[in-house]
Amino acid sequence: MTRTLLTALAFALASATAAFAHDYKLGDLVIDHPVARATAPGAKVGAGYVTIMNKGNKDAFLVGGAADFAGLVEIHEGKIENGVMTMKAFENGLIIPAGETATMKPGGNHVMFMKLKKPLQEGETLPVTLRFKEAGEVKVEFKVLSIGETLKMKGGKAMDHSKMDHSGHGGHSRHSHKKADE
């Protein structure tokens, strides 16, 4: 191979590796693979998922965030009880215990993007600032996946956030609905 071709291949490989790199650091925290679920046109809410590793010796708390595409970013606890999904914003943030990992995924804890200014479209990358109680803030990019791709994260059935009323909760949203397949 010619030197030019080798240089071009090396550049392409480096670019591809950078494009697939999807983790961020904030002190002892490693924020890995932030993804969001595509939304339907007109949806006012969307969900994001991420894994956060706490490599420190002190608990960390994810308390919220900010994004230009959403009027409000909250961290929600999700539980399914008797076939009904209930969600509410964590009062003091999602705890990431020292030396442990917290995984946010469909059907469980998640980042809730509320008051969407536009639909979340598959393939786009969304800048979001995540806020931690003591560690501070970190800017990350959420890659928007199709609903099918996000379901693979859990292996479950779809939940339709667009049919839920998230308005007027003043940061203390509490809501429930049945899974979309029920």
Side-chain angles (χ1 to χ4, degrees), residues 149-162:
E149 285 179 282
T150 53
L151 286 177
K152 289 178 192 174
M153 296 173 63
K154 179 185 178 219
K157 302 284 184 182
M159 257 186 343
D160 187 353
H161 283 281
S162 68

Side-chain angles (χ1 to χ4, degrees), residues 81-160:
E81 296 175 356
N82 299 321
V84 177
M85 179 71 171
T86 60
M87 289 180 257
K88 65 178 179 175
F90 281 99
E91 287 186 31
N92 297 310
L94 170 68
I95 186 170
I96 302 101
E100 294 187 26
T101 299
T103 301
M104 303 172 99
K105 61 185 179 179
N109 301 333
H110 55 280
V111 179
M112 182 62 75
F113 303 115
M114 301 169 74
K115 301 179 183 177
L116 290 178
K117 298 175 184 173
K118 65 179 191 73
L120 307 184
Q121 297 180 352
E122 180 181 351
E124 69 182 337
T125 303
L126 304 169
V128 176
T129 300
L130 295 177
R131 291 188 184 120
F132 293 85
K133 187 174 183 178
E134 293 179 11
E137 296 182 347
V138 61
K139 291 183 181 184
V140 302
E141 292 185 337
F142 278 73
K143 172 82 171 159
V144 181
L145 305 177
S146 71
I147 290 175
E149 285 179 282
T150 53
L151 286 177
K152 289 178 192 174
M153 296 173 63
K154 179 185 178 219
K157 302 284 184 182
M159 257 186 343
D160 187 353

